[in-house]
Amino acid sequence: MDNIESTGESTGNSVVEITQSNIDSIIASNELVFINFYTGWCSFSRLLMPIYHDAADEVMKAGYDTGKVVVGKVDCDKEHEIASRFNITKYPTLQLFRNGSPTKKEYRGQRSVEAITEFIKYQLIDPVIQFSNLKELQNLSEDKRHIIGYMDRKDQPEYDVFRKAAASLKDESCLFHVGFGEVSHQIHPSGQPIVVFRNDKTSVEPDETYHGSLLNYDELHAWMEPKCIPLVREITLENAEKLTEEGLPFLILFHHPSDTESVKKYKEIVSSELESEKQNINFLTGDGVKFEHPMNHLKKSVSDLPLIAIDSYRHMFLFPEYKDIEKPGKLKQFLQDFYSGKLSRDLHHKPEEINVMPKRNTKNIQSTIEAIRNGVVEITGSNIDYVLANYELVLIVYYCEGDPASARLLHTFDNVAREIKEARFSYGKLALGKVDCVKEDAIRNRFQQYDTSYLYSYELYPTVKLFTNGLLSKHGCRCKQTVQGFVDFIKEQLRDPIIVIKSLDELHDLSENKGHIVAYLICKDQYEYKILRNVATSLREECQFYVMFGYSEQRTNLTGKLRVVFRSTGGCTVELRDKYDGSMCNFSEVYTWVNQRIFPLLREITSDIEDELRMKDNYPFIILLHLPSDTESVKQYKEVIRKEFTPEKRFTVLLADGRKFEHLLVRFGKTITDLPLIAVDNYKNIRIFDYNTMMEPGKLERILNDIERGQIDQCHVTVYSRLTPMDYTNDVYSVFELFE
């Protein structure tokens, strides 16, 4: 480590080593502090460090005054208290501090010398526009909010405070202006600087003059912030992504650009009836002409403006009648229906129909229950649905009569049943079963799983399959096939997979290979907790679940909800703010939502990880072959996958640099100029599809269904082991070598 003096000044290096002893003085005495939170064991931290040092050198070369900017770093292995204080849970994290406080968002831009340097320099640009004539203020945009300072001179302390406050709010929807000397004295006497706020033309708030101290930064900033960040903001094509990052759903008024009356009315109602909801939802207005595309999803057009809709990032819900916003409480009830999940249920479910349930063979069910209590139950077509529907964990041996290996495993399974019986699991917890695959051919085909046997021309028996809450686990039964191995595996699977926490501060050392979901519930006795536990049991391999019990005013909008906290994929940690608004009492809804949230961020396939992917998931690959510069196809591909991917359809979804797969393109008569393309690798054959064709609604699902049914078209290439080339002497390797 570099030798750094306690004052925070670096010796021989532009990056300041920040510790518990100097951090407070550094962030308090410098207008801008940019900090790299890192650890020595993190490979990504080590890769970033030389880039970060070079960027710091470039910033220092600009020759900023003392107290203007510091570029620092914190070793979180040594400085646990600092990491905990600023909720640092992933590395490296680049965080900007301005005027003693961390900004809302960490730096997530490109990790290059140029990008980091430009970001820091941009933050140091003076956001205040100077005017020299009062007539200039008459031409200010009426669509923007303005804060105007009238000062005597530029070096007076009041202006320095004004400038710092403006810098903290420079990225918000507000412009800052200042006039000095004679032009300022036309508004106020010399020696009495003032700051005034001028609203936009659609606002219902009056213009206002600041009456506090211009020498008190905190006081001035507190007055300016709500002026710069209005209750109702405008969403544009430029700021939509930034607003989305705030993680709150949108309540949007779509209006015609010339229609200012509906905007005023909307702002009045939001201000008078919905201000208490600002922590739960973003109130926005949008140009309905520019945002015609999202309105198409609502089956509306420009001629239907104005419209009000909620955008939950997954669905858009239309407020039925715009004119009803003037009815007291109508718009608020619309929000309440959204929070409760009623809008989602109404969207997805038709009115319940009365169905006559077929009579069950109660005698057969009773014998099945007795068999499960006493040992291993014979699974048949008449009882399998009952077993899967009523038992949380089901282990089934698929065997062939007369097969010695099957006989040995069944004997082991009988001993497992005797051992596990002593644990006295309650009804509905565990069932051990066996399926004669010769007699029960329908069951064998129904739960055909993509595994290594798919590469051979015959089934491998015996096979143990794991079902959790009626769903076939894609990870299978991973344990030694001994009595103790099975017993330990079962007990681990039945352990409560949900970790109870009291604060998000407890979430440290999050795995980079799992999703992370936090639930906010009142108590453990809730039925909602039981449903969540079932979901967590089914997805424990893919996701870690946490729960916070209790109720508080600060968490009112989260009580009874789920939220994605952190997810890492391919070494890049992403913070999400998705909030589940459906019914917590519906297993299928919760499972589907969580499964979609933990869906991978499209990992890139390379020769280094192909074997790992095949052995880990044992499912066919869907791969987008694209050029690295083509980000639009990646976004669209991800969107289609999210819409059409379901828990029942198990595929590994990947990205690939098409240039590295040129060998594959040649075999199909394609070149790099044909990119993007979609490749489907089902372990036996590879097929390539035109990108635009695959993006047609429903097309991907039809292709996947064909693959599941084993239908192969004429345009395919047979493969034996690998998709990506490796540096071996032979081009073809046996299947047995790959999986030995």
Side-chain angles (χ1 to χ4, degrees), residues 177-370:
H177 312 268
V178 67
F180 298 109
E182 290 300 323
V183 65
S184 179
H185 295 161
Q186 297 176 46
I187 301 297
H188 73 98
S190 178
Q192 298 180 19
I194 61 172
V195 172
V196 300
F197 167 66
R198 182 186 295 183
N199 224 322
D200 62 80
K201 63 182 178 182
T202 62
S203 180
V204 295
E205 304 168 52
D207 293 351
E208 186 179 334
T209 300
Y210 175 64
H211 296 293
S213 170
L214 279 172
L215 295 174
N216 188 317
Y217 170 83
D218 292 333
E219 189 177 345
L220 178 61
H221 186 275
W223 178 82
M224 290 170 62
E225 187 172 28
K227 305 291 184 292
C228 294
I229 310 175
L231 184 59
V232 179
R233 292 178 283 177
E234 181 184 7
I235 184 171
T236 65
L237 297 175
E238 291 74 28
N239 70 359
E241 184 175 356
K242 178 186 174 184
L243 291 172
T244 301
E245 286 182 354
E246 295 181 11
L248 295 176
F250 300 159
L251 180 69
I252 310 177
L253 167 71
F254 292 109
H255 65 98
H256 197 277
S258 61
D259 177 16
T260 57
E261 288 304 312
S262 66
V263 177
K264 286 183 179 179
K265 176 59 67 177
Y266 176 69
K267 288 183 176 181
E268 285 177 8
I269 293 170
V270 170
S271 180
S272 61
E273 297 185 18
L274 303 177
E275 187 170 3
S276 61
E277 302 294 327
K278 65 182 180 181
Q279 301 301 320
N280 307 327
I281 199 156
N282 265 330
F283 300 108
L284 305 170
T285 63
D287 183 335
V289 176
K290 293 181 179 178
F291 285 96
E292 187 173 8
H293 177 70
M295 289 197 303
N296 291 337
H297 292 291
L298 298 169
K299 298 181 179 179
K300 298 293 182 180
S301 65
V302 174
S303 61
D304 297 306
L305 296 173
L307 299 169
I308 292 179
I310 292 174
D311 184 356
S312 70
Y313 305 153
R314 295 177 296 281
H315 300 290
M316 292 190 73
F317 305 100
L318 179 67
F319 185 65
E321 291 289 340
Y322 169 76
K323 61 184 179 182
D324 286 346
I325 67 171
E326 298 190 30
K327 294 181 180 179
K330 196 72 175 178
L331 195 55
K332 188 166 188 175
Q333 184 58 52
F334 182 57
L335 281 180
Q336 295 303 320
D337 289 344
F338 170 66
Y339 298 148
S340 68
K342 182 178 184 299
L343 296 183
S344 180
R345 292 191 294 273
D346 291 347
L347 178 68
H348 290 96
H349 303 292
K350 297 179 180 179
E352 293 183 0
E353 300 176 356
I354 300 176
N355 295 315
V356 178
M357 297 297 292
K359 292 183 179 180
R360 290 182 175 179
N361 186 334
T362 55
K363 184 176 181 180
N364 182 47
I365 291 175
Q366 191 60 42
S367 63
T368 298
I369 295 173
E370 283 299 317

Side-chain angles (χ1 to χ4, degrees), residues 428-529:
K429 277 291 185 183
L430 172 69
L432 301 180
K434 57 185 179 181
V435 172
D436 185 335
C437 291
V438 175
K439 294 180 180 179
E440 301 294 339
D441 186 62
I443 296 178
R444 177 177 63 84
N445 292 331
R446 174 180 170 184
F447 296 106
Q448 176 64 50
Q449 188 177 21
Y450 285 103
D451 52 28
T452 55
S453 65
Y454 188 81
L455 292 165
Y456 305 94
S457 59
Y458 56 87
E459 288 276 8
L460 295 178
Y461 297 111
T463 297
V464 181
K465 294 189 177 181
L466 170 68
F467 297 81
T468 56
N469 300 294
L471 299 172
L472 176 63
S473 169
K474 75 172 185 177
H475 298 283
C477 181
R478 297 180 176 177
C479 66
K480 291 183 178 179
Q481 294 193 349
T482 62
V483 174
Q484 193 59 48
F486 280 119
V487 170
D488 291 342
F489 176 78
I490 290 168
K491 288 182 177 179
E492 173 61 24
Q493 293 298 309
L494 290 173
R495 176 184 57 80
D496 193 334
I498 304 176
I499 299 173
V500 179
I501 60 174
K502 294 182 179 179
S503 166
L504 294 181
D505 293 338
E506 297 178 37
L507 300 182
H508 297 298
D509 302 324
L510 299 180
S511 167
E512 292 190 353
N513 298 317
K514 284 191 174 185
H516 299 273
I517 305 290
V518 172
Y520 297 83
L521 300 175
I522 302 299
C523 63
K524 203 168 187 175
D525 296 333
Q526 284 180 265
Y527 180 72
E528 287 88 341
Y529 181 78

Side-chain angles (χ1 to χ4, degrees), residues 6-49:
S6 61
T7 60
E9 296 179 0
S10 60
T11 56
N13 198 300
S14 299
V15 178
V16 176
E17 186 74 32
I18 297 178
T19 65
Q20 185 65 25
S21 63
N22 66 10
I23 184 168
D24 289 320
S25 63
I26 289 175
I27 62 176
S29 59
N30 291 277
E31 183 176 326
L32 205 73
V33 180
F34 193 62
I35 300 179
N36 174 14
F37 293 90
Y38 72 97
T39 64
W41 51 262
C42 172
S43 59
F44 297 99
S45 293
R46 293 196 297 270
L47 288 171
L48 177 63
M49 193 58 73

Side-chain angles (χ1 to χ4, degrees), residues 393-412:
L393 197 74
V394 180
L395 278 177
I396 300 178
V397 176
Y398 285 63
Y399 71 96
C400 280
E401 192 69 45
D403 173 43
S406 293
R408 287 194 295 272
L409 184 57
L410 287 175
H411 177 70
T412 300

